[in-house]
Amino acid sequence: MPDVKPDPHVQPLKFLPILYVLFTVLGMWAIYMLCHCLPRIQLGVPEHAVDFAVRKHAYIECASFNVVTVLLLASYVMCILTHPGEIPLNDPNWEYSATPDPGQNIVKEKKKSGDRRHCKWCGKYKPDRCHHCRTCRICILKMDHHCPWIYNCVGFHNYKYFFLVTMYAAIACQIISITMWDSVYKSVDNRSPFFPMFCLVF
């Protein structure tokens, strides 16, 4: 008996990891922009007192970080909204039969007995690298894993976006760790107000 995919809107608690990720990304963006970039841009400082070398670097850092953050969020949204792919519906090549056609050879992965792999929950033959997800309750094409942070499986159609999310997140973290040393040092050395110091250090 095939499983019926549950309506995700009836499981609101499973959206909490997504909200946590978005809150973390936006929080890091706010700290970087408000506690690092804007002070270095020196808004409101008289023109004769501006350190133009620092301001130039701040513009470059601000632009780079914002571009990476936008790409990160776009990839994350696409990763969530893109269906990973499932076994084609109403296709006789994948409908399970107790007496399969022995001449049909469209997959490489087979059981030890030589029979085609099939899903007992979906009632269909499985393409290569296809696995049943018990959370999504369907067979996912080229399934990698079910990720609670995107409330979706990572599979054939959204694997690219998942890879881009991890890549842009790594780049954003590198930008933060490399460029913020000066701001972190000054926040401690100059006895800045507690909240900016807390955000920069911790």
Side-chain angles (χ1 to χ4, degrees):
M1 184 72 180
D3 272 348
V4 178
K5 186 178 179 181
D7 185 353
H9 299 293
V10 301
Q11 303 180 58
L13 289 179
K14 292 193 175 181
F15 284 96
L16 288 178
I18 294 176
L19 295 177
Y20 175 79
V21 170
L22 293 175
F23 177 80
T24 301
V25 172
L26 294 177
M28 295 296 288
W29 176 86
I31 291 172
Y32 188 82
M33 294 300 298
L34 298 177
C35 298
H36 175 69
C37 287
L38 291 183
R40 287 167 62 84
I41 292 174
Q42 304 163 76
L43 297 176
V45 176
E47 198 69 16
H48 66 275
V50 171
D51 187 331
F52 289 99
V54 171
R55 174 178 280 183
K56 180 181 177 181
H57 282 100
Y59 280 136
I60 295 172
E61 292 167 4
C62 180
S64 302
F65 187 72
N66 277 284
V67 167
V68 172
T69 302
V70 168
L71 291 173
L72 168 61
L73 291 174
S75 299
Y76 186 64
V77 170
M78 290 300 297
C79 201
I80 294 169
L81 299 180
T82 302
H83 194 285
E86 60 182 315
I87 301 172
L89 299 174
N90 303 319
D91 187 336
N93 289 324
W94 305 109
E95 295 297 331
Y96 178 69
S97 171
T99 56
D101 181 3
Q104 198 174 47
N105 188 25
I106 57 177
V107 294
K108 293 182 179 179
E109 293 181 356
K110 295 183 178 181
K111 297 180 180 179
K112 291 182 179 180
S113 63
D115 296 333
R116 291 175 64 185
R117 298 183 311 130
H118 70 276
C119 178
K120 61 183 179 181
W121 291 286
C122 296
K124 293 180 180 292
Y125 287 115
K126 291 182 179 180
D128 292 335
R129 295 192 62 186
C130 178
H131 300 283
H132 186 85
C133 175
R134 297 200 177 203
T135 304
C136 297
R137 298 187 180 181
I138 56 172
C139 284
I140 303 298
L141 297 180
K142 201 177 179 181
M143 181 179 176
D144 189 278
H145 67 286
H146 181 87
C147 181
W149 301 105
I150 63 172
Y151 192 22
N152 200 1
C153 275
V154 179
F156 182 75
H157 291 300
N158 66 348
Y159 190 87
K160 168 187 172 182
Y161 300 119
F162 183 78
F163 174 79
L164 289 175
V165 167
T166 57
M167 184 183 74
Y168 290 133
I171 293 173
C173 289
Q174 288 296 321
I175 292 174
I176 291 172
S177 62
I178 292 171
T179 62
M180 285 188 71
W181 279 110
D182 188 54
S183 294
V184 172
Y185 177 78
K186 287 182 178 179
S187 71
V188 177
D189 186 58
N190 294 344
R191 299 187 180 276
S192 299
F194 175 77
F195 184 71
M197 182 187 70
F198 178 83
C199 291
L200 286 166
V201 175
F202 298 101

